[in-house]
Amino acid sequence: MLFGGVMAIFEGIAAIAKDDLFLATRHYVFEFSLAGWGWIHLILGIILVFAGCAVISGALWARLFGVAIASLGAIANFLWIPYYPLWALVLVAVNIFIVWALCMGMHREAHTDPAHPAGPR
């Protein structure tokens, strides 16, 4: 989560600075200015880094919050594909992996419930 958040922060900063890396798209359904997309990615990246730090603490609310924010990050990067296709697809994959990892961690903890030491039946 920390890696995905930092990469989203860099992506947002580059878009706000109007870097030459991005494609100029026309007539795109989700047409925002490049700076608008940059702010979206910057804010999501900061929140994702915060959620990653909270997940390290091991709190359940942090995992649920991380799943929600990583899902929003995947959606934002999917909508970002026309601007920077390869990087957007990489970050979509990273965010989907984050969601999978957080959900599998919750699934494994459910099977190691101390109230039922014998495990699932």
Side-chain angles (χ1 to χ4, degrees):
M1 288 183 71
L2 297 173
F3 171 76
V6 169
M7 292 299 106
I9 289 170
F10 288 149
E11 182 179 46
I13 290 171
I16 292 168
K18 296 184 190 312
D19 202 345
D20 293 335
L21 295 171
F22 303 107
L23 298 173
T25 58
R26 292 187 207 169
H27 308 296
Y28 180 50
V29 175
F30 303 102
E31 191 172 334
F32 290 135
S33 68
L34 189 58
W37 275 113
W39 283 108
I40 290 170
H41 286 287
L42 181 65
I43 292 168
L44 277 174
I46 291 169
I47 295 171
L48 196 56
V49 167
F50 169 74
C53 292
V55 165
I56 291 173
S57 73
L60 178 62
W61 68 267
R63 286 187 183 204
L64 297 174
F65 183 65
V67 168
I69 295 302
S71 299
L72 288 176
I75 292 168
N77 281 299
F78 178 76
L79 298 176
W80 179 252
I81 288 175
Y83 295 95
Y84 200 10
L86 182 61
W87 188 246
L89 289 174
V90 167
L91 286 179
V92 166
V94 166
N95 284 311
I96 289 173
F97 177 72
I98 290 168
V99 170
W100 175 81
L102 290 174
C103 290
M104 286 306 295
M106 287 186 277
H107 176 71
R108 287 189 183 135
E109 286 179 4
H111 286 297
T112 58
D113 186 11
H116 302 314
R121 296 175 195 232

